[in-house]
Amino acid sequence: MGAVVLQVTSRVYRVPVEETNGNIYFYVQEDGLIIIDTGIPGKDGLVLDSIRSLGFSPSQVKAIVLTHYHLDHSGSANAIRSATGAKIYVHRDDAPILEGLVPPQLPKEAPREAVEAYRWFKPVKPDVVLNDGDEVHGLRVIHVPGHTPGSIALYDGEHLFAGDNLNFRDGRVQGPPPLFTADMQRARESVRRLLSLDFRVLLPGHGEPVVGDASARARQDLRELL
């Protein structure tokens, strides 16, 4: 079975990751593309096939941006970097965890299988560490800590790549899952920051994108946080 690449808008494509109901995104520019999140380990072949199916070569990948260090988002980053030569970007506060210098920060209520999955976590040294307000190829970095210390969203005025800060499940926009969120109080504050933005397209970490007046839909679905 070939790669499944779904067009979201003229600039954004999505590669679904069935095992986690997660998403790998391509943000397309004239001379290449940016990969946002990389799925669980072993998805590098899927990503490379997807890139080629869009008419790009692996060498045209301009950046690999991780919204946070969790294994279902960073798991194939190193292999994709090796295949493309692109640099890995992650927020400064998640960099030590991604690099294996600090242990993963999971809540004590986290499912056992999630904790055990980190036995397979292979440290990845990022090439570029990000701060709030930085720009990566036209995308503004928004630091939204809570789910992880260095969780980020990426925003261009129309698209919001939300990471796990906003997800789409059971027919509605939801915040980060408590069982996998290090600090829910900070996470709620971060969600409120994202809800203050106007965006037409929501690209969640998990679940289907929301296209068309997505910020209003998100504020309606999460009105208890406002």
Side-chain angles (χ1 to χ4, degrees):
M1 182 176 169
V4 176
V5 188
L6 304 175
Q7 185 171 10
V8 182
T9 69
S10 61
R11 297 197 67 178
V12 177
Y13 291 81
R14 175 172 75 104
V15 180
V17 181
E18 291 183 7
E19 295 91 335
T20 60
N21 192 33
N23 297 307
I24 298 165
Y25 291 108
F26 298 151
Y27 186 67
V28 176
Q29 300 179 328
E30 287 186 7
D31 57 345
L33 53 84
I34 295 126
I35 298 173
I36 299 167
D37 289 334
T38 67
I40 57 178
K43 292 299 177 182
D44 49 301
L46 174 67
V47 169
L48 295 172
D49 286 347
S50 300
I51 291 168
R52 295 186 184 100
S53 76
L54 294 176
F56 292 96
S57 69
S59 64
Q60 288 180 283
V61 176
K62 300 166 75 173
I64 302 162
V65 186
L66 304 178
T67 60
H68 58 297
Y69 78 85
H70 280 172
L71 195 61
D72 57 327
H73 293 257
S74 69
S76 292
N78 207 29
I80 295 170
R81 173 170 60 185
S82 296
T84 64
K87 293 180 178 180
I88 295 174
Y89 295 67
V90 73
H91 188 271
R92 179 177 302 279
D93 292 346
D94 269 13
I97 308 172
L98 186 70
E99 199 169 342
L101 303 177
V102 175
Q105 301 181 19
L106 296 173
K108 61 183 180 181
E109 301 85 4
R112 179 185 296 178
E113 60 269 22
V115 176
E116 290 179 347
Y118 281 92
R119 293 179 183 177
W120 306 101
F121 184 79
K122 294 182 179 179
V124 177
K125 184 175 177 60
D127 300 288
V128 181
V129 293
L130 298 169
N131 293 290
D132 186 58
D134 286 350
E135 187 173 301
V136 181
H137 296 287
L139 292 166
R140 179 160 63 92
V141 174
I142 303 172
H143 183 209
V144 278
H147 184 58
T148 68
S151 283
I152 61 169
L154 299 164
Y155 180 58
D156 69 356
E158 177 183 10
H159 304 90
L160 179 69
F161 297 90
D164 280 1
N165 306 287
L166 296 174
N167 297 290
F168 192 80
R169 289 192 175 92
D170 302 323
R172 63 187 294 268
V173 179
Q174 300 189 28
L179 288 179
F180 300 96
T181 297
D183 186 333
M184 275 305 298
Q185 182 173 342
R186 289 190 80 193
R188 291 187 186 99
E189 293 169 0
S190 291
V191 168
R192 283 194 284 271
R193 182 181 184 190
L194 294 181
L195 295 179
S196 72
L197 301 172
D198 290 320
F199 46 92
R200 190 179 71 84
V201 183
L202 170 63
L203 293 312
H206 298 268
E208 298 278 339
V210 179
V211 180
D213 206 10
S215 53
R217 170 71 179 274
R219 286 191 283 266
Q220 173 63 26
D221 287 350
L222 290 165
R223 55 191 177 278
E224 70 276 5
L225 292 179
L226 297 175

